[in-house]
Amino acid sequence: MTTQLLGTSFIGYSRGTGSDVCGHAIYPASGGKLEPAYIAATPDEVNVAVDLAGQAFPNYSTLPGTLRGAFLRAIADEIEKIADDIAVRGPQETGLPEARLRGETARTTGQLRMFAALVEEGSWVDARIELAQPDRQPLPKPDLRSMHRALGPVAVFCASNFPLAFSVAGGDTAAALAAGCPVVVIAHQSHPGVAELVGGAVIRAALATGMPEGVFSLLYGGGRSVGISVVQHPVIQAVGFTGSRGGGTALMAAAANREQPIPVYAEMSSVNPVVILPGALERGETALAEAFFGSLTLGVGQFCTNPGLVFMPEGKGFGFIERLRELVLAATPGTMLNATICQAYAETVEAVASTEGVQTIARATAGAGQGAPAVFSVSLRRFLEADLLRGEMFGPGTLIVRGSLEEIEAAIPELEGQLTATVHGTAEELAAHGSLVSALESRAGRLIFNGFPTGVEVCHSMVHGGPFPATSDGRSTSVGTMSIHRFTRAVAWQGFPDACLPAELQEGNPLGIRRMVDGQFV
Amino acid sequence: MTTQLLGTSFIGYSRGTGSDVCGHAIYPASGGKLEPAYIAATPDEVNVAVDLAGQAFPNYSTLPGTLRGAFLRAIADEIEKIADDIAVRGPQETGLPEARLRGETARTTGQLRMFAALVEEGSWVDARIELAQPDRQPLPKPDLRSMHRALGPVAVFCASNFPLAFSVAGGDTAAALAAGCPVVVIAHQSHPGVAELVGGAVIRAALATGMPEGVFSLLYGGGRSVGISVVQHPVIQAVGFTGSRGGGTALMAAAANREQPIPVYAEMSSVNPVVILPGALERGETALAEAFFGSLTLGVGQFCTNPGLVFMPEGKGFGFIERLRELVLAATPGTMLNATICQAYAETVEAVASTEGVQTIARATAGAGQGAPAVFSVSLRRFLEADLLRGEMFGPGTLIVRGSLEEIEAAIPELEGQLTATVHGTAEELAAHGSLVSALESRAGRLIFNGFPTGVEVCHSMVHGGPFPATSDGRSTSVGTMSIHRFTRAVAWQGFPDACLPAELQEGNPLGIRRMVDGQFV
């Protein structure tokens, strides 16, 4: 590593000065400590960071998109400069392989540049203009113009399972900074070193591009105390979070109980049901099992889109199950992200295994800190009776539920909200099961045909969201360009002189963006 | 009146059968009762109405936009057929003049037709297509398509101050029905007869256009018991409300405490600050006072956009104040909507008048059931000290706060969230006070220059929303075409065969709508 880690928060352009050690990074395989010790931000430092964000807001939020874009690109460049350090420190802290860290770094810089391009181009603000009609009867129509503006300073919580793409400069931060919102990030205790590396990159980019102090801060101190105090601070106007249902709902409660309630965008639990129709089995059960197993075990199953539930027609799919069994027994268990996740997975697997009516197809054995693939089977009737079986097994475990197609369709509305729902079959089968697809749509944000839910494309049309409890706000996506609108609100200007309007709304369209004028896009 | 009022709820295509009288409409001027007695929906009927809405959802939400548009147009037509009955019953129940009822009827039918045109045209769904790149390295890119879909059944609460435009078939209902959401309306006790008239019109339109039963129900029973039970019903997915802060925050709490929390769009209190700069006074204080008084007293001040707060430079504006004083003393007080609103206004005016440091400029005297214009003045320093003075006086009362321009600008961040903020002055002054405008923008959804906040244009660029407590969700608008997105969520389809996609996303673009394809609008 070429970067020296200090173990302190970034409070605007200063570093934290407290002395209260809140933890070390831990090697997940051995449980050993990594240096340095991490120091909690003091309550004063938390307030300074949030106040600086509030002070930066009026200036930062109204910078031209080209300048915000330059800042985002500079962050991507600075992250690339430390990619080797991330590739060293990341695997130590998370147990994830170097290749994953490098891939996630590329995804993160790609996201930053995607948002840079979005705000540099500028049409994302949805500018709408309605010209005055002073002679209209019975009343004159005023000149009215609206566009999206930044919501205010945003709190972003790092995710344990994405040390880069959903952490310090990940999707939430990129979307908020692109929208014009200063960001206060709360580091995750699982990868404080990667957080410090990326935090330093963001600060260097902010300084290099002349951003106002407070546009970014990074706080250590354990999610609960420091994190809740940030969410409760009156200056904060929205929250981004990816993590557990317990953590997400605690933030929802804290945000709802503020004097001014604010939106929380929490991405939480999802079991991502997969429905296998007979035609998919007829195409080849072995290949299907192998592809499914690849998705199930990717990243040791630690993705929110992991396929944790499979509906399969009764009396079919024995070849699929047999191949899965072979794959599980031949699998090399991987190291999980941290001891908490590892223990929760082991306990959930054990609870599922010992639930009445559940048959264990195969379980690999796991060493210390590891998560071993596990496949179970249960009848649809028992599945509906046992609440535990409809919950999330966060890790490489899945439950195959067998029933008639009619029973499967009737069971879908009993599922909680999901990020994804998948169907395997032929195009003819899909067309013939419209009401099944409709039921799945009512439960999920993304529907997949003959594919797998892992691998979330970062693009304009991605919806990575879904009804509660998949997310706290099923109207939103946390991936792709649409996610910028989590951190904006529309504002209208009535009767304003041209020179006092934002450039996006001025008569001459100086930015050359796509706008709606009197109902027509031009 | 040609329509016979029954006093019972509309439970899908049936009428309520309970016998528990929950109230009568009251003549606000006299306090006398209007027939018939209104019968509360029974708990069973509430459940039936919501369950029917849930059953109607899969079908109704996926109807072609042309069919939903036809339904909305049929509602408008049916309302026009009973415009004379509304013009008779409305003034009896609300104390509002017949011309206002006729004007509001026209606004309501106009809103319905605006949403019909929006969904008939179809581009509102924001269709996004990203084509597959099977050869992309390192991983193939899947075909991914997204669009907005209806959120689910919606609960809409009628507003006391808008018996038509924000009630049974008002903006919330029109937006939800346009989006594809069945609606369960909870009538307001202030105008149950107008609600029944309009409810009958909606039902006739639904039957005539072949809509599934449950697409609309209308419940009587007092906002609290029936309303809260609708909001708590698991089938309901969003809430629209216009009313008091107490009512709105109670619904927010009920929605947040559900097993599945749901969004609440509550439009609540706003004092709509008006900042008068010296140039506006120099243009003519008398004319400004007269125009301001017109806005203040429109509809007896019972608009959420009523200008209840004026900031004026110290030592100026004596002519403005003097003319206001004359106008108040010459005014004819109007009848207020109901006894609760009338009493609350009288009490608030009294409390403001007796606050230390407040000077009464003028107060008219009011008869029973009336609200009299009232104008007060206070120094900026006292204004900031007395919390009461920053609250809403719902009625034709306003408070003039005088200080230096620097003090005024510094006071803006102390204000709560507002629907609107207005500046009067010259274009040069506006340009010279950019930070004042920026401060106002941070507190409001709509900024007005040299105009008045009352008179909310129904169009594409309107933002009728604002930071809490102006609304529960400052990201939303309750007026204009953008308001449809309160009742939608984006859904993505990955790898779907063309024939199984919604028409909006099919390759051949059969609806001919504007779509984003690989990042470009076509």
Side-chain angles (χ1 to χ4, degrees):
Chain A
M1 291 247 309
T2 59
T3 312
Q4 167 81 35
L5 297 178
L6 303 182
T8 56
S9 300
F10 293 85
I11 313 295
Y13 290 140
S14 301
R15 296 299 292 257
T17 58
S19 57
D20 182 7
V21 173
C22 57
H24 288 72
I26 304 289
Y27 291 100
S30 68
K33 275 188 191 176
L34 275 147
E35 291 304 323
Y38 275 84
I39 308 297
T42 66
D44 275 356
E45 287 171 347
V46 170
N47 284 330
V48 170
V50 178
D51 286 338
L52 282 172
Q55 289 158 28
F57 177 73
N59 174 348
Y60 181 68
S61 64
T62 53
L63 285 180
T66 48
L67 296 187
R68 290 210 300 273
F71 174 36
L72 293 168
R73 290 187 192 280
I75 297 173
D77 294 345
E78 289 293 335
I79 290 174
E80 279 170 355
K81 289 182 196 165
I82 54 163
D84 289 342
D85 281 356
I86 292 170
V88 171
R89 179 80 184 190
Q92 294 171 348
E93 293 188 334
T94 65
L96 296 169
E98 183 188 329
R100 156 72 188 272
L101 269 296
R102 290 198 184 271
E104 202 183 315
T105 300
R107 175 177 167 166
T108 304
T109 55
Q111 282 183 158
L112 288 158
R113 293 187 178 117
M114 175 189 76
F115 280 111
L118 188 75
V119 297
E120 285 161 354
E121 193 281 328
S123 299
W124 72 275
V125 299
D126 190 20
R128 294 168 176 232
I129 294 173
E130 261 148 324
L131 301 169
Q133 298 174 13
D135 301 327
R136 190 184 63 172
Q137 294 300 329
L139 288 170
K141 183 175 182 177
D143 181 283
L144 196 68
R145 298 167 188 238
S146 71
M147 63 180 273
H148 278 266
R149 296 281 254 184
L151 201 51
V154 171
V156 170
F157 287 78
C158 293
S160 64
N161 63 338
F162 275 100
L164 295 148
F166 285 89
S167 285
V168 176
D172 291 345
T173 297
L177 290 178
C181 300
V183 171
V184 177
V185 175
I186 296 92
H188 196 285
Q189 61 202 23
S190 269
H191 35 65
V194 172
E196 188 179 345
L197 288 170
V198 179
V202 178
I203 290 294
R204 286 193 295 280
L207 286 166
T209 54
M211 293 297 127
E213 181 170 19
V215 69
F216 174 85
S217 288
L218 170 63
L219 305 178
Y220 291 99
R224 290 286 156 130
S225 55
V226 165
I228 291 285
S229 64
V230 173
V231 171
Q232 288 172 334
H233 195 294
V235 161
I236 293 294
Q237 294 298 301
V239 180
F241 170 87
T242 303
S244 71
R245 188 161 169 177
T249 52
L251 293 179
M252 290 169 73
N257 291 326
R258 288 167 45 119
E259 194 175 320
Q260 176 218 7
I262 55 173
V264 172
Y265 301 102
E267 188 198 311
M268 302 180 287
S269 52
S270 184
V271 298
N272 304 297
V274 176
V275 178
I276 298 182
L277 298 175
L281 297 170
E282 286 158 21
R283 253 192 326 246
E285 301 191 26
T286 303
L288 183 61
E290 289 169 359
F292 175 83
F293 187 74
S295 178
L296 177 67
T297 55
L298 193 70
V300 201
Q302 300 165 114
F303 289 115
C304 39
T305 52
N306 192 255
L309 185 62
V310 180
F311 290 101
M312 185 167 310
E314 235 164 11
K316 293 184 192 285
F318 298 104
F320 176 87
I321 290 175
E322 177 54 26
R323 182 66 186 131
L324 262 191
R325 197 182 68 79
E326 291 170 5
L327 290 165
V328 168
L329 296 178
T332 311
T335 300
M336 297 194 87
L337 289 158
N338 60 48
T340 309
I341 286 175
C342 188
Q343 190 182 337
Y345 176 63
E347 287 172 5
T348 312
V349 164
E350 208 49 52
V352 170
S354 59
T355 297
E356 192 197 322
V358 171
Q359 183 197 348
T360 299
I361 304 292
R363 285 173 66 180
T365 47
Q370 294 182 326
V375 176
F376 303 98
S377 167
V378 73
S379 72
L380 208 142
R381 185 185 53 76
R382 273 303 295 152
F383 172 72
L384 292 179
E385 286 168 0
D387 288 351
L388 172 83
L389 299 181
R390 297 200 294 284
E392 190 180 21
M393 252 187 289
F394 191 77
T398 198
L399 176 64
I400 299 172
V401 180
R402 306 180 81 172
S404 69
L405 286 180
E406 294 67 31
E407 285 175 325
I408 290 170
E409 185 177 326
I412 302 300
E414 305 302 315
L415 297 178
E416 293 189 312
Q418 308 289 339
L419 292 169
T420 71
T422 300
V423 178
H424 282 267
T426 64
E428 293 69 31
E429 282 176 315
L430 192 70
H433 290 89
S435 58
L436 169 69
V437 176
S438 166
L440 290 171
E441 184 189 325
S442 76
R443 305 282 79 204
R446 177 165 55 112
L447 302 172
I448 299 149
F449 181 61
N450 285 346
F452 294 94
T454 48
V456 179
E457 194 67 31
V458 180
C459 60
H460 299 293
S461 52
M462 175 50 69
V463 177
H464 188 63
F468 182 90
T471 69
S472 54
D473 185 337
R475 296 162 296 173
S476 65
T477 173
S478 63
V479 175
T481 51
M482 280 192 277
S483 70
I484 195 171
H485 288 293
R486 294 177 298 167
F487 304 118
T488 68
R489 65 183 176 103
V491 176
W493 287 259
Q494 181 173 323
F496 262 56
D498 205 51
C500 296
L501 285 166
E504 289 87 342
L505 298 176
Q506 288 176 6
E507 200 57 26
N509 194 9
L511 304 182
I513 59 174
R514 184 177 44 85
R515 312 194 292 188
M516 184 197 272
V517 179
D518 284 338
Q520 301 299 316
F521 280 93
V522 293
Chain B
M1 292 246 310
T2 58
T3 312
Q4 167 81 34
L5 296 179
L6 304 182
T8 56
S9 300
F10 293 85
I11 313 296
Y13 290 140
S14 301
R15 296 299 293 257
T17 59
S19 57
D20 182 7
V21 173
C22 58
H24 287 72
I26 304 289
Y27 291 100
S30 68
K33 274 187 190 175
L34 275 148
E35 291 303 326
Y38 275 84
I39 308 296
T42 66
D44 275 356
E45 287 171 347
V46 170
N47 284 330
V48 170
V50 178
D51 286 339
L52 283 172
Q55 289 158 27
F57 178 73
N59 174 349
Y60 181 67
S61 64
T62 53
L63 286 180
T66 47
L67 295 188
R68 290 211 300 274
F71 174 36
L72 293 168
R73 290 187 192 279
I75 298 172
D77 294 345
E78 290 294 335
I79 290 174
E80 279 170 355
K81 289 181 195 165
I82 54 163
D84 289 342
D85 281 355
I86 292 170
V88 171
R89 178 80 183 190
Q92 294 171 348
E93 293 189 333
T94 64
L96 297 169
E98 182 188 329
R100 156 71 188 272
L101 269 296
R102 290 197 183 270
E104 203 182 314
T105 300
R107 175 176 169 166
T108 304
T109 55
Q111 282 183 159
L112 287 159
R113 293 188 179 117
M114 176 189 76
F115 280 111
L118 188 75
V119 298
E120 285 161 354
E121 193 281 328
S123 299
W124 71 275
V125 299
D126 191 19
R128 293 167 176 233
I129 294 173
E130 262 149 322
L131 300 169
Q133 297 174 13
D135 301 328
R136 189 184 64 173
Q137 294 300 328
L139 289 171
K141 182 175 182 178
D143 181 283
L144 196 69
R145 299 168 188 238
S146 70
M147 63 179 274
H148 279 266
R149 295 281 255 185
L151 200 51
V154 171
V156 170
F157 287 78
C158 294
S160 65
N161 64 337
F162 275 100
L164 295 148
F166 286 90
S167 285
V168 176
D172 291 345
T173 297
L177 290 178
C181 300
V183 171
V184 177
V185 175
I186 297 92
H188 195 285
Q189 61 202 23
S190 269
H191 35 65
V194 172
E196 188 179 345
L197 288 170
V198 178
V202 177
I203 290 295
R204 286 192 295 280
L207 286 166
T209 54
M211 294 296 128
E213 180 169 20
V215 69
F216 173 84
S217 288
L218 169 63
L219 305 177
Y220 291 99
R224 289 286 155 130
S225 56
V226 165
I228 291 285
S229 64
V230 173
V231 170
Q232 289 173 335
H233 195 294
V235 162
I236 294 294
Q237 294 299 302
V239 179
F241 170 87
T242 303
S244 71
R245 187 160 168 179
T249 51
L251 294 179
M252 290 169 73
N257 291 328
R258 286 167 46 118
E259 194 176 318
Q260 176 218 6
I262 56 172
V264 173
Y265 302 102
E267 188 198 311
M268 301 180 288
S269 53
S270 184
V271 298
N272 303 297
V274 176
V275 178
I276 298 183
L277 298 175
L281 297 170
E282 286 159 21
R283 253 193 323 246
E285 302 192 26
T286 303
L288 182 62
E290 288 168 359
F292 175 83
F293 187 75
S295 178
L296 177 68
T297 55
L298 193 70
V300 201
Q302 301 165 114
F303 289 116
C304 40
T305 51
N306 192 256
L309 185 62
V310 180
F311 290 102
M312 186 168 306
E314 235 164 9
K316 294 185 193 285
F318 297 104
F320 175 87
I321 291 174
E322 177 53 26
R323 182 66 187 131
L324 262 191
R325 197 181 68 78
E326 291 169 6
L327 290 165
V328 168
L329 296 179
T332 311
T335 300
M336 296 194 86
L337 289 158
N338 61 46
T340 309
I341 287 175
C342 188
Q343 190 183 336
Y345 176 64
E347 287 172 4
T348 312
V349 164
E350 208 48 54
V352 169
S354 58
T355 299
E356 192 196 322
V358 171
Q359 184 197 348
T360 299
I361 304 293
R363 285 174 67 181
T365 47
Q370 294 182 326
V375 177
F376 302 98
S377 167
V378 72
S379 72
L380 207 141
R381 185 184 53 73
R382 273 303 295 153
F383 172 72
L384 291 178
E385 286 168 359
D387 288 350
L388 171 83
L389 299 181
R390 297 200 294 284
E392 190 181 22
M393 253 186 286
F394 191 77
T398 198
L399 176 64
I400 299 172
V401 180
R402 306 180 79 172
S404 70
L405 286 179
E406 294 67 31
E407 286 175 325
I408 291 170
E409 185 178 327
I412 302 301
E414 305 302 314
L415 297 177
E416 294 190 312
Q418 307 290 338
L419 292 168
T420 71
T422 299
V423 178
H424 282 268
T426 65
E428 293 69 31
E429 282 175 316
L430 192 71
H433 291 89
S435 58
L436 169 69
V437 177
S438 165
L440 290 171
E441 184 189 324
S442 77
R443 305 282 80 204
R446 177 165 56 112
L447 302 171
I448 299 149
F449 181 61
N450 284 347
F452 294 93
T454 48
V456 179
E457 194 67 31
V458 180
C459 60
H460 299 294
S461 52
M462 176 49 70
V463 177
H464 189 62
F468 182 91
T471 69
S472 54
D473 184 338
R475 296 162 296 173
S476 65
T477 173
S478 63
V479 175
T481 52
M482 280 192 278
S483 69
I484 196 172
H485 288 293
R486 293 176 298 166
F487 304 118
T488 68
R489 65 184 176 102
V491 175
W493 287 258
Q494 181 173 323
F496 263 56
D498 205 49
C500 296
L501 286 166
E504 289 87 342
L505 297 176
Q506 288 175 6
E507 200 58 26
N509 193 11
L511 303 182
I513 59 174
R514 184 176 44 85
R515 312 195 293 187
M516 183 196 272
V517 178
D518 284 338
Q520 302 298 317
F521 281 92
V522 292

